[in-house]
Amino acid sequence: KGDSGLSEVNLMKKQVSDLEGQLRALQASFSKYQKVAAFPGGRIVGNKVFVTSGYEGTFDDLKQKCLQAGGQLAAPKNAVENTAVQQIVVQHNKSVFLGVTDIQTEGKFRYLNGDAIVYSNWLQGEPNNEKGRENCVEVYVNGKWNDRACGEKRLILCEF
Ligand code: 291
Ligand code: CA
């Protein structure tokens, strides 16, 4: 029949409008939980959430804890993300270790997935691999990066 096509269109219109309502509700709920996830000291930058638990430990320890939580050590990939990391360092007045090392090849800094870094914010004179022992990267309160011994203890900062 000519009619059955029309009612099928009307049924789909209703389904689309129902989905639009459900999507709006989901967006509102997601927006709320993003804020929950970032409270009290986290930072949301685009799709990334930076969050610390306040825990301090060595690089291996911090890396494992972020992975265990379903995230990874923070690795800012642009100036906006680095500023978000810096704000958390300032809040706690404690440096963090990034998910960036030159463990694989001295002097070649990489993310933990092995990719070469696309952004850095080294303090002048860094990285200097002081005493040949610095393969990890800490962020100072001024947002600048310094390579540092991975066995030092720093504030945990994960990204999700
Ligand atoms: C100096 C600079 C840095 C270096 C740091 C560590 C300190 O900054 O040479 O490039 O990473 O020393 O070597 O390590 C210890 N154990 O003191 C000093 C600023 C705090
Ligand atoms: Ca250094």
Side-chain angles (χ1 to χ4, degrees):
K1 281 194 211 120
D3 252 15
S4 75
L6 241 186
S7 54
E8 215 166 299
V9 167
N10 284 333
L11 178 59
M12 289 185 71
K13 281 183 178 171
K14 166 134 178 45
Q15 288 173 327
V16 166
S17 128
D18 285 353
L19 282 170
E20 283 171 342
Q22 289 170 21
L23 181 58
R24 261 192 301 279
L26 188 60
Q27 284 168 329
S29 174
F30 179 70
S31 161
K32 177 161 96 172
Y33 276 94
Q34 269 205 315
K35 291 166 197 152
V36 171
F39 182 83
R43 285 283 180 286
I44 299 165
V45 184
N47 290 330
K48 220 179 242 194
V49 182
F50 293 110
V51 57
T52 179
S53 65
Y55 181 83
E56 293 170 60
T58 64
F59 172 80
D60 284 342
D61 196 1
L62 304 181
K63 176 173 122 180
Q64 198 227 336
K65 283 206 155 47
C66 285
L67 287 178
Q68 200 166 3
Q72 56 192 0
L73 271 179
K77 292 193 164 172
N78 56 56
V80 173
E81 291 188 359
N82 198 74
T83 298
V85 170
Q86 180 190 356
Q87 288 169 344
I88 291 167
V89 170
V90 168
Q91 243 163 24
H92 291 258
N93 195 27
K94 283 172 185 171
S95 292
V96 296
F97 269 142
L98 298 181
V100 172
T101 78
D102 70 341
I103 290 170
Q104 187 178 323
T105 307
E106 175 52 42
K108 177 87 189 164
F109 284 85
R110 301 178 181 278
Y111 301 114
L112 301 185
N113 70 2
D115 289 351
I117 56 173
V118 298
Y119 167 87
S120 63
N121 194 37
W122 299 113
L123 184 67
Q124 195 169 39
E126 307 295 348
N128 64 352
N129 195 31
E130 182 77 20
K131 297 179 182 162
R133 288 183 202 155
E134 300 189 317
N135 297 332
C136 284
V137 180
E138 66 178 340
V139 179
Y140 289 140
V141 290
N142 64 4
K144 292 292 175 181
W145 295 14
N146 173 43
D147 61 339
R148 197 69 180 244
C150 299
E152 297 289 320
K153 289 186 177 175
R154 291 293 178 270
L155 178 66
I156 193 169
L157 184 63
C158 308
E159 62 175 42
F160 294 89

